[in-house]
Amino acid sequence: MTELQLLSYLVVGATFLLYIGIAFWARASTTSDFYIAGGGVHPIANGMATAADWMSAASFISMAGLISFYGYGGAVFLMGWTGGFVLLAMCLAPYLRKFGKFTVPEFIGERYYSKSARIVAVICLILASVTYVIGQMKGVGVAFSRFLEVRYDVGLYIGMGIVFIYAVMGGMKGITYTQIAQYVVLILAYTIPAVFISLNLTGNPIPQLGLGSTISGTDIYLLDRLDQVVTELGFAEYSTEARLSLTNMFFYTMSLMIGTAGLPHVIIRFFTVPKVSDARSSAGWALVFIAILYTTAPAVAAMARLNLINTIDQPQQAENLEYAERPNWFKKWEATGLLKHEDKNNDGRIQYTADPATNEMTTIDADIMVLANPEIARLPNWVIALIAAGGLAAALSTAAGLLLAISSSISHDLLKGVFMPNISERSELLASRVAMAGAILVAGYLGLNPPDFAAGTVALAFGLAASSIFPALMMGIFMKRMNKEGAIAGMIAGIGVTLLYVFQHTGIMFIASTAYLGDMQPNWFFGIEPNAFGSIGAIVNLVVAVVVSKFTAEPPAEVVALVEHIRVPQGASAAVAH
């Protein structure tokens, strides 16, 4: 066993023991503990847990990798996810906290005075959450397969087991305090390598400033040098290239933004604090904790791309790198199948270009860029081991939150809220744990057959949340005239048109052979890619809901009074159990 592998086992093993220890300490004994951690989490602690819940494998593993290859076009992820959290904090979190119940479908069911609306909301929530959790499972498998040198599927099973222990045992209470520990792990794992790499490349230890600095020993700015090397290889200029088109970038950003604000596993976090003011406060703290990673990501992306090109293409040398002399990290990632080389001209050297006919780097998975970055930069082994633990912490923290949202929607919203209203608290708690275990098994199965790279899969989930849940919540809070008929029709129309568009290009249930229009740009609606179509679905949802509500009965007076009550910022009571 190599020193790196031993360190990786020790660091990752220590973090897993920490998570399991917290789960035993904070295990849930009531449904209130299981669903909302008893409603007494401190705003700063909740802010940190929310940041970990939200910063998933897509944020930690995929986002900087996507920005590395898309350049300016990858900014949609930064703008959409960050802007969406602001939207959530300002327009949804405090009002939903004042409502004082457990889940998003519960709010929709009571606001729209309809069990049917609650059931539709549960279906939308499960579709978005299951799609989202696929990306987290992919992240778990990628991190395990490389750093612990086990097969992808073995790594996935280990991750499922860890989540099973602390999520099923602790519910929201265990997940909350585990996520605080996971935030500390993931933020240290992300920023420490970034500091090292920024120092090596620019002499500036602050990555955010290093991105705009000159390369050490030269008067050439880092971004100017990156633009030069990528254009010499035939790629688009890093700092200016839009993602397909400005129209597509706008709708992609909008989809990610309103999708973020509609994510049930993040919204449910704001039910865990004691007061409405705490909901706003914890959202503010979450933004602070999130900003540490999100302002570092563009620097990590640019530096990783430059280091990769300098290593495998050697633009400063007369000849490209010999394949036989490739570095050890290259061999390790080849073993995972996420990095592939094909010697097309049989010269024994690595050609990396934008031209598919001559490009010999046939696969460079975007998901490896953050994880491989410390190895490419030749950082100490303990830093590489730390980033493995960070990637796993990011994936596991969000997976746990998503699985809780799925299980609570099944046990609390369907079982307790619709089919068995007289079920005892003890039976409901047992049902929650069984639902959680079932959700973990389904997520693991889908993680073995992911439809796309982690952030791409996540983008689809955001689109589903954007087209169904977010409009229903916003209209429920800010449109007193919105009734159950309008809300139900809007949710079905929004998610229906989004799924239709996604499936026709990516295949039904993401099975490529069933893509009846193919993933071809000429068939895209106004040039909008499938991952960005959630924003169009949201518009369809809104229009259909408003039109249907105009021609159907007004909501009852008590529902109008409920809307007026939750929009007043004072006087929230403690969370209500049932």
Side-chain angles (χ1 to χ4, degrees):
M1 184 181 290
T2 63
E3 180 191 354
L4 174 58
Q5 191 177 3
L6 178 60
L7 270 173
S8 297
Y9 274 109
L10 289 174
V11 173
V12 171
T15 60
F16 282 0
L17 287 175
L18 175 64
Y19 305 154
I20 293 169
I22 291 172
F24 274 100
W25 168 73
R27 56 187 179 274
S29 58
T30 66
T31 52
S32 179
D33 283 344
F34 194 89
Y35 294 135
I36 59 170
V41 180
H42 191 278
I44 296 178
N46 193 54
M48 195 175 291
T50 304
D53 203 354
W54 185 62
M55 291 192 298
S56 62
S59 292
F60 189 98
I61 297 175
S62 282
M63 182 173 65
L66 291 170
I67 297 172
S68 285
F69 290 103
Y70 293 139
Y72 167 71
V76 296
F77 298 99
L78 286 171
M79 295 185 293
W81 285 336
T82 309
F85 201 88
V86 175
L87 188 64
L88 170 63
M90 299 302 295
C91 297
L92 291 181
Y95 304 107
L96 293 174
R97 172 59 194 87
K98 185 167 184 182
F99 179 67
K101 295 296 178 72
F102 283 162
T103 67
V104 170
E106 190 169 15
F107 169 80
I108 289 176
E110 295 209 12
R111 164 58 182 87
Y112 296 115
Y113 50 98
S114 167
K115 288 184 177 180
S116 298
R118 190 169 183 172
I119 292 171
V120 172
V122 168
I123 294 170
C124 294
L125 181 152
I126 290 175
L127 284 172
S129 297
V130 168
T131 306
Y132 196 172
V133 86
I134 296 170
Q136 311 318 307
M137 292 304 178
K138 167 82 183 294
V140 169
V142 169
F144 263 115
S145 63
R146 166 59 191 92
F147 291 103
L148 301 187
E149 298 188 20
V150 297
R151 294 197 319 272
Y152 173 89
D153 57 338
V154 174
L156 190 57
Y157 295 142
I158 296 171
M160 288 167 61
I162 297 298
V163 172
F164 180 88
I165 292 170
Y166 74 77
V168 172
M169 181 186 301
M172 178 60 88
K173 187 176 180 182
I175 288 170
T176 295
Y177 293 105
T178 304
Q179 283 174 337
I180 293 170
Q182 287 167 332
Y183 175 79
V184 174
V185 172
L186 76 86
I187 207 66
L188 288 175
Y190 203 86
T191 54
I192 288 175
V195 168
F196 272 100
I197 294 168
S198 180
L199 201 56
N200 287 347
L201 279 174
T202 69
N204 194 319
I206 303 174
Q208 293 89 336
L209 300 180
L211 180 62
S213 300
T214 56
I215 295 174
S216 295
T218 73
D219 59 356
I220 302 173
Y221 284 94
L222 186 146
L223 284 174
D224 289 340
R225 176 62 183 156
L226 184 54
D227 278 341
Q228 178 189 346
V229 297
V230 296
T231 52
E232 285 176 355
L233 296 175
F235 296 100
E237 193 173 74
Y238 184 87
S239 60
T240 60
E241 182 68 12
R243 180 171 169 79
L244 301 179
S245 69
L246 289 177
T247 300
N248 183 71
M249 282 190 69
F250 172 81
F251 282 104
Y252 207 144
T253 304
M254 180 178 169
S255 180
L256 293 174
M257 183 179 292
I258 61 179
T260 295
L263 286 175
H265 75 291
V266 175
I267 293 172
I268 200 173
R269 289 233 56 93
F270 297 103
F271 299 151
T272 66
V273 293
K275 304 190 298 291
V276 173
S277 59
D278 292 337
R280 287 191 187 275
S281 177
S282 64
W285 280 108
L287 277 171
V288 171
F289 294 129
I290 289 166
I292 297 171
L293 189 147
Y294 268 58
T295 56
T296 307
V300 170
M303 294 172 188
R305 182 77 181 276
L306 186 59
N307 278 334
L308 178 72
I309 293 172
N310 285 340
T311 301
I312 65 175
D313 191 71
Q314 297 184 326
Q316 303 293 344
Q317 306 295 324
E319 293 185 298
N320 294 340
L321 176 69
E322 285 191 34
Y323 180 72
E325 296 179 1
R326 67 198 186 281
N328 193 51
W329 66 263
F330 193 110
K331 298 174 185 176
K332 297 283 189 181
W333 281 106
E334 276 187 305
T336 68
L338 300 174
L339 191 69
K340 294 180 183 177
H341 170 263
E342 178 187 345
D343 192 1
K344 294 181 178 178
N345 60 4
N346 297 314
D347 67 347
R349 296 183 180 273
I350 301 174
Q351 274 76 40
Y352 177 43
T353 70
D355 183 0
T358 59
N359 178 36
E360 296 181 349
M361 292 304 303
T362 54
T363 300
I364 305 177
D365 195 304
D367 287 350
I368 78 169
M369 293 302 289
V370 169
L371 299 178
N373 201 17
E375 296 178 284
I376 298 171
R378 301 177 181 177
L379 297 186
N381 282 340
W382 68 267
V383 178
I384 299 170
L386 181 62
I387 205 164
L392 289 166
L396 293 174
S397 63
T398 302
L402 288 164
L403 292 165
L404 179 70
I406 293 169
S407 69
S408 62
S409 67
I410 293 170
S411 62
H412 187 67
D413 290 303
L414 288 184
L415 196 62
K416 172 73 175 177
V418 178
F419 299 115
M420 298 176 65
N422 297 319
I423 189 173
S424 68
E425 181 172 343
R426 183 177 179 181
S427 298
E428 186 185 351
L429 187 59
L430 176 61
S432 300
R433 289 186 162 128
V434 171
M436 175 77 79
I440 291 171
L441 292 175
V442 172
Y445 173 77
L446 293 171
L448 290 171
N449 303 281
D452 204 345
F453 50 82
T457 307
V458 167
L460 295 178
F462 278 75
L464 297 178
S467 63
S468 58
I469 297 170
F470 175 78
L473 293 176
M474 286 293 289
M475 291 185 293
I477 294 169
F478 297 105
M479 292 179 64
K480 290 187 285 187
R481 177 63 178 81
M482 184 53 56
N483 59 17
K484 63 181 180 182
E485 292 85 1
I488 293 170
M491 285 189 286
I492 293 172
I495 201 167
V497 74
T498 302
L499 282 173
L500 177 68
Y501 190 79
V502 169
F503 285 167
Q504 75 179 12
H505 292 294
T506 63
I508 298 171
M509 296 309 294
F510 311 112
I511 300 169
S513 60
T514 63
Y516 45 94
L517 281 184
D519 192 15
M520 297 180 292
Q521 290 192 36
N523 293 319
W524 288 355
F525 180 76
F526 287 105
I528 300 170
E529 62 185 296
N531 284 0
F533 202 74
S535 50
I536 302 297
I539 295 170
V540 170
N541 183 332
L542 180 66
V543 170
V544 169
V546 169
V547 170
V548 170
S549 67
K550 291 287 185 183
F551 293 97
T552 47
E554 293 188 9
E558 60 268 20
V559 171
V560 175
L562 171 66
V563 175
E564 291 174 344
H565 170 70
I566 63 174
R567 280 164 56 178
V568 177
Q570 288 92 18
S573 59
V576 179
H578 299 294

